[in-house]
Amino acid sequence: MSGFIDKIMSLLNTGKTCPQEEKCLELARIMLDKESTTEEQAYVEEHIHACSKCYENYEIEQAVRAVVKNKIENKEVPAEVVDEILSKIGS
């Protein structure tokens, strides 16, 4: 996991800037949430193909989501925890 964080930090510290970075990252997040319009998606796709900083941001956002999804996906909850939650809901 340390290598993953080192990679993120190196990408964030590249010194490259983009005047549209904040807008592009916001739209990229909306796109990754599958809530973007076709126009927003087209903007992000076109922009990240031309802008290395925004492409890096997009890749980082995708990687973070993949790690989080992997960590929370298919985790079995112990029966005791389920029982405790159900007892609290029922009271």
Side-chain angles (χ1 to χ4, degrees):
M1 185 79 155
S2 176
F4 175 75
I5 297 201
D6 291 341
K7 177 68 174 169
I8 288 175
M9 294 310 294
S10 71
L11 290 173
L12 291 174
N13 295 322
T14 59
K16 299 174 189 169
T17 60
C18 170
Q20 299 298 316
E21 185 175 358
E22 190 174 319
K23 174 185 177 183
C24 189
L25 184 56
E26 179 182 340
L27 291 175
R29 287 176 175 153
I30 292 169
M31 186 176 94
L32 290 168
D33 288 339
K34 300 190 184 326
E35 296 177 357
S36 62
T37 65
T38 53
E39 293 82 14
E40 291 168 334
Q41 185 171 345
Y43 172 83
V44 171
E45 289 173 353
E46 182 178 324
H47 186 81
I48 64 174
H49 288 311
C51 176
S52 62
K53 179 63 176 172
C54 289
Y55 177 77
E56 291 170 355
N57 289 342
Y58 177 80
E59 288 292 308
I60 291 169
E61 189 69 27
Q62 251 187 338
V64 168
R65 287 166 183 256
V67 168
V68 169
K69 182 179 178 183
N70 185 42
K71 292 290 182 188
I72 63 172
E73 198 171 72
N74 300 321
K75 300 294 180 190
E76 193 169 320
V77 178
E80 307 84 50
V81 174
V82 173
D83 291 341
E84 185 177 342
I85 292 170
L86 291 174
S87 71
K88 289 182 179 184
I89 292 173
S91 48

